[in-house]
Amino acid sequence: MYSLFVLLALTLQLVACQDHPRSLIYSRGAVKQYVGSVDRIEDLAASLEACSFNREVIMIPATEVFVDAAAQIMDQLGRFGIEHVMLITSTEQSCNASLKLIPHVCCVWLQPPLPENEVANHGFSSHRFLMHIRLRLAALTVRLRYNVMFLDTDLIIFDDPYKYFKQPPFDKANMMMAGGVSEVNIGVMYVQNAAPDGPIAWLFAEVPDRQLRWGEQPEFVQNKEWPKLFNWQHLMWDQANFGDAFQSTVVGRPVVQSAWTYQDKKFNVTWTQMHARRSHPLQKHDTFKLSGELEKIARQPEVSLAYVDMHRPFTGGQWPQQLGGQILPATRLQFSQHWQDQLRSVREPMWPDPDDPACTQFSSKVWPRRKLRAAARGSDRSEGQEEEEQQGVPDDWEEVQEGTAGSGTELRYKSSQQVEEELTQMCWALPWLEREVLHSAQAQAHQCPAAAELQHALAQEALTQRSAASSLGGRQASRTRKLTAETTMRTRAASAVATSASARGGAGGEGHKVSVMRQKRMLKETAGSAPAGSCPGPGPVERATFLPHWMSVSWNHRNMKAPEWNRDQHPPSTVIGHVLWLPCDKRIYKNALKMSYGWYNWSLAYQSRGGQVFFASTPQVPVPKVLAPGPELLDVMARLPAVPFLEAMRALVSAAAAAGRAFAYPALSCNALQRIIHEFPSKPNLKRNNDGYYSTGTVPFTVLEKEGKCMWYDYMYNVCQQHP
């Protein structure tokens, strides 16, 4: 029988309300309530109009079972006057349960058609379904041109996030989140000023799309020869697929790292490292000067921030075998097609299909300057230079399989001829690639097709389009005229480049350099249009910035050595704390940490639990009688060595069981508890405690009557809550 975990319920009280400054985006009383289904785009648009403020909206997932968690995060935001919040639920019943506890909140639900089979059930059942619809709503909301903050419910909002997100340098980022290029965490994210057809919108749409396409055609992944997949739980995990889609926007082509990392009945480390070698070097760092509130919370005048540029992914019609070959079925069935139709129901521009043959010329070719110079020099590299270059971005080498698929790779520099051929294709390449090509010796000497020839080809294209338009009418003719206008603009730009090159000495010398620079400006001006066919081109480049630890950080076992959540500091040590993971029962620690830091609303908890004491009773089990050590006994226990301390604990638990009472675990002074548990690794006869990773974590209390006290988080294991 479970004993009842009553330590916190008996000892913690809600910290007296403190005065919190108004949010930079203060919306109290400025939003209207909306409750209803948002399966139709018109309903979603209406809900966003009602629930947003200055086109800002916060999305929080909520379930009928854990409605208290959503209420707690709403309460924390409310301390700063933030009310432009939309709860996302999977059913009308879940919304109704939330409204009983949070009567005035906006609450919506979405019930799209979904496949049902062995693979699909791992992506669309229970909590996974809620995460799936959250990403669908995110994609549609970004396409509707709203700024969106995504918050999980296992968070502590220590300060107003907008106060920092809207200040330089964060105000220039299109997306902010914790983590890194291959380890993003979607529990805390903020998206601002993102294009409806840009890489961020594509990213949010791509995650549910991959889940749907694998789910509706499970044989595609079940029968795949290489890599041989088997872990459908991980394959369909929203977090894994989000990370993969994010990497796709960074490297410029669709890739799958995390979702396919379980291969041949094991975790394939080589697979993960291969993708990391392609994406990690594309993460950049810049140093920014801070001022105002940012300087105060960072506690330093400048900071180095990590960020990446995001691009529309294209395949160029190629699916390299070393990257797993084709990652999605060649055709769509009704479920993924329904999702595409829903995305297109937003009357905004749409990104091109990454596999569109018309977009072949925009497929990813990442050419770092250092590597391009190395390829141009060929065998003239010195030994030291070669070593330096091999530490750089590996996107100018090919991974060639040896023997059977996946058995190994070798790195091979591309020849100068290959570089030349690919540079020829880059005359109309992405502007973000141009900056890499411009400064290399070989690129400056490279001859793109003569501007006059380019002008002639574009003129012929325009003539063909006008001829086609004459036989069409209405909407199609209008679309053709638009394409013709874009072509004319590019023709004039090409002509200007040719004139400039001629006036400044022709191609090859300084004049060529100027013409390339002008072409670069021309490409920026015509971004989104393509030189041929119907491909809309590379589109906007968007930036994702990774939040530093003083903006968002997760609480984990390392906190015992370097506490990162110090609510006594002003400003706090971090803006948002994520109760991400502890090596114990998450049903306990997710709330215990909020309680111990004094950011838990006990009145809300009392309402949500039907008047029961949290951790101590349920509607079926009444509040128990308790056995708790008194102050004198606690003082004695605090001075005991590790083994006698455990023996005393076991004796008290046995006494409580014999008396039919629940045992309240003691909170000792932090110094005393740390001293005791740091002795455990030296006691090899103690089960589990040889590993300091599991034995040395403590949770500090910050409530007034428990100042300087700590709780050993091993108390939060289920096994510690059972009577012998």
Side-chain angles (χ1 to χ4, degrees):
M1 171 184 174
Y2 282 99
S3 71
L4 301 169
F5 186 77
V6 297
L7 172 66
L8 293 173
L10 293 173
T11 59
L12 294 178
Q13 300 292 330
L14 182 65
V15 178
C17 291
Q18 301 178 4
D19 291 332
H20 295 279
R22 289 164 60 111
S23 170
L24 187 67
I25 301 183
Y26 183 88
S27 58
R28 179 164 291 155
V31 298
K32 300 176 182 179
Q33 186 179 35
Y34 186 99
V35 178
S37 166
V38 288
D39 283 294
R40 298 188 318 137
I41 196 65
E42 295 83 2
D43 296 329
L44 176 59
S47 70
L48 289 169
E49 179 69 24
C51 305
S52 65
F53 180 73
N54 291 345
R55 300 198 72 80
E56 299 275 349
V57 66
I58 299 175
M59 292 186 168
I60 299 175
T63 66
E64 189 173 356
V65 177
F66 296 106
V67 64
D68 172 64
Q72 294 291 337
I73 198 74
M74 287 282 297
D75 179 68
Q76 293 171 24
L77 292 169
R79 301 184 189 195
F80 306 100
I82 298 173
E83 292 186 348
H84 49 281
V85 178
M86 179 183 288
L87 291 188
I88 300 173
T89 66
S90 55
T91 64
E92 183 177 2
Q93 292 72 22
S94 294
C95 259
N96 291 335
S98 300
L99 291 171
K100 290 179 182 178
L101 194 58
I102 326 169
H104 305 297
V105 72
C106 289
C107 190
V108 301
W109 62 89
L110 181 67
Q111 294 180 311
L114 296 170
E116 294 185 21
N117 52 63
E118 180 188 3
V119 172
N121 292 341
H122 285 284
F124 310 127
S125 299
S126 188
H127 183 70
R128 291 285 179 92
F129 173 61
L130 181 61
M131 296 299 100
H132 175 78
I133 63 174
R134 178 175 76 156
L135 288 166
R136 291 176 79 131
L137 288 179
L140 294 169
T141 302
V142 171
R143 280 187 51 70
L144 286 165
R145 298 181 183 271
Y146 282 85
N147 295 343
V148 196
M149 190 181 300
F150 304 92
L151 299 177
D152 278 353
T153 54
D154 57 347
L155 304 173
I156 300 178
I157 311 297
F158 289 104
D159 204 352
D160 169 30
Y162 287 113
K163 182 166 61 176
Y164 308 101
F165 288 163
K166 295 299 185 180
Q167 299 300 320
F170 296 103
D171 61 337
K172 300 297 189 296
N174 301 107
M175 184 162 70
M176 288 167 267
M177 56 193 161
V181 68
S182 63
E183 51 184 359
V184 296
N185 186 280
I186 63 177
V188 179
M189 289 190 296
Y190 181 54
V191 173
Q192 61 182 351
N193 306 322
D197 58 344
I200 291 176
W202 177 89
L203 160 63
F204 282 103
E206 176 72 1
V207 179
D209 194 56
R210 291 186 182 191
Q211 293 174 311
L212 290 167
R213 295 180 75 175
W214 291 331
E216 68 187 4
Q217 299 185 63
E219 65 279 0
F220 177 82
V221 288
Q222 290 172 327
N223 300 334
K224 197 166 182 61
E225 290 298 324
W226 189 85
K228 195 72 174 177
L229 307 172
F230 71 97
N231 190 328
W232 314 134
Q233 180 79 0
H234 195 76
L235 173 83
M236 298 293 282
W237 185 26
D238 59 289
Q239 177 78 59
N241 282 288
F242 188 92
D244 291 345
F246 177 70
Q247 276 199 67
S248 301
T249 66
V250 175
V251 302
R253 69 162 297 114
V255 295
V256 181
Q257 174 190 323
S258 182
W260 285 11
T261 199
Y262 286 95
Q263 304 169 6
D264 295 321
K265 307 297 182 183
K266 62 183 179 181
F267 184 93
N268 190 335
V269 178
T270 303
W271 173 268
T272 301
Q273 292 174 341
M274 177 185 68
H275 284 82
R277 288 198 302 270
R278 290 180 174 271
S279 60
H280 282 203
L282 298 177
Q283 181 170 304
K284 307 173 185 178
H285 293 81
D286 274 348
T287 299
F288 299 91
K289 292 188 179 300
L290 303 178
S291 61
E293 297 296 333
L294 274 174
E295 184 177 3
K296 292 178 183 178
I297 197 164
R299 293 170 173 83
Q300 56 192 39
E302 61 181 28
V303 63
S304 176
L305 293 179
Y307 66 93
V308 292
D309 289 334
M310 303 171 64
H311 317 275
R312 286 175 174 170
F314 295 101
T315 68
Q318 301 297 316
W319 292 97
Q321 188 63 21
Q322 68 269 22
L323 297 180
Q326 190 156 330
I327 65 173
L328 295 168
T331 58
R332 293 182 178 275
L333 299 186
Q334 69 268 32
F335 301 104
S336 64
Q337 187 58 55
H338 175 271
W339 172 229
Q340 291 299 303
D341 294 342
Q342 195 170 35
L343 288 167
R344 288 187 172 86
S345 68
V346 179
R347 289 185 171 87
E348 292 284 359
M350 188 79 169
W351 53 84
D353 189 315
D355 236 358
D356 188 340
C359 298
T360 299
Q361 69 270 39
F362 297 113
S363 59
S364 176
K365 302 180 188 68
V366 180
W367 286 90
R369 289 198 299 269
R370 182 169 60 188
K371 290 295 218 174
L372 190 58
R373 289 197 301 269
R377 287 193 301 266
S379 59
D380 294 334
R381 298 190 306 272
S382 69
E383 189 172 332
Q385 288 172 326
E386 184 171 355
E387 180 180 356
E388 177 191 2
E389 289 154 4
Q390 288 178 355
Q391 296 172 358
V393 184
D395 286 279
D396 65 344
W397 47 257
E398 301 169 336
E399 289 180 339
V400 184
Q401 293 176 341
E402 299 174 345
T404 59
S407 62
T409 61
E410 64 176 357
L411 307 187
R412 186 178 70 202
Y413 278 101
K414 292 183 179 178
S415 67
S416 296
Q417 181 180 355
Q418 288 175 298
V419 174
E420 182 74 7
E421 291 172 352
E422 296 204 19
L423 283 171
T424 300
Q425 300 172 19
M426 292 174 67
C427 293
W428 281 97
L430 306 180
W432 57 279
L433 295 175
E434 284 279 326
R435 68 166 176 261
E436 302 291 355
V437 175
L438 258 177
H439 303 289
S440 73
Q442 183 164 351
Q444 290 178 11
H446 171 72
Q447 300 293 308
C448 284
E453 295 176 8
L454 181 61
Q455 180 181 1
H456 175 74
L458 293 175
Q460 287 295 113
E461 176 190 347
L463 181 63
T464 302
Q465 290 172 345
R466 285 194 296 271
S467 175
S470 65
S471 60
L472 297 172
R475 187 173 180 181
Q476 180 62 31
S478 174
R479 177 177 175 273
T480 305
R481 284 194 297 272
K482 180 181 178 183
L483 286 172
T484 303
E486 292 173 349
T487 302
T488 302
M489 177 179 66
R490 293 196 304 275
T491 303
R492 289 173 179 172
S495 178
V497 171
T499 303
S500 171
S502 175
R504 295 178 180 269
E510 186 65 25
H512 174 70
K513 182 177 180 180
V514 173
S515 71
V516 174
M517 294 178 69
R518 289 202 174 208
Q519 190 176 26
K520 179 184 178 184
R521 289 196 297 271
M522 177 186 68
L523 285 166
K524 288 183 177 179
E525 293 169 359
T526 59
S529 61
S534 59
C535 180
V541 177
E542 296 175 329
R543 174 165 295 186
T545 297
F546 302 109
L547 296 172
H549 68 91
W550 39 266
M551 288 285 283
S552 177
V553 69
S554 63
W555 204 106
N556 54 38
H557 69 283
R558 290 186 298 275
N559 200 63
M560 63 190 179
K561 296 178 181 177
E564 295 166 326
W565 294 2
N566 188 340
R567 69 181 300 273
D568 294 327
Q569 293 183 7
H570 298 284
S573 52
T574 189
V575 179
I576 300 176
H578 196 174
V579 186
L580 182 60
W581 180 83
L582 285 177
C584 47
D585 189 341
K586 70 178 180 180
R587 292 172 298 178
I588 305 295
Y589 73 74
K590 291 284 188 183
N591 283 311
L593 284 174
K594 298 177 187 178
M595 297 170 186
S596 67
Y597 280 95
W599 284 76
Y600 193 77
N601 188 321
W602 287 92
S603 298
L604 282 175
Y606 187 78
Q607 295 175 43
S608 68
R609 301 288 163 175
Q612 305 303 314
V613 178
F614 200 72
F615 288 158
S617 65
T618 68
Q620 293 76 35
V621 180
V623 178
K625 295 180 179 180
V626 177
L627 176 67
E632 296 82 3
L633 181 55
L634 282 177
D635 186 59
V636 172
M637 294 178 69
R639 296 195 298 270
L640 293 174
V643 174
F645 173 78
L646 288 181
E647 290 172 343
M649 290 278 286
R650 292 189 183 112
L652 288 170
V653 169
S654 298
R661 292 174 176 261
F663 176 59
Y665 291 94
L668 305 179
S669 71
C670 295
N671 289 338
L673 188 56
Q674 286 286 341
R675 176 189 59 77
I676 291 170
I677 61 182
H678 275 290
E679 291 182 24
F680 293 149
S682 64
K683 308 292 182 182
N685 58 321
L686 294 178
K687 196 181 288 187
R688 288 180 51 254
N689 291 323
N690 300 348
D691 188 350
Y693 180 86
Y694 286 103
S695 65
T696 56
T698 61
V699 178
F701 290 115
T702 57
V703 290
L704 299 178
E705 64 272 26
K706 288 293 178 181
E707 186 175 4
K709 300 290 185 180
C710 278
M711 177 181 67
W712 186 19
Y713 69 48
D714 274 25
Y715 294 158
M716 289 184 253
Y717 281 94
N718 274 336
V719 68
C720 290
Q721 298 177 59
Q722 297 180 19
H723 284 312

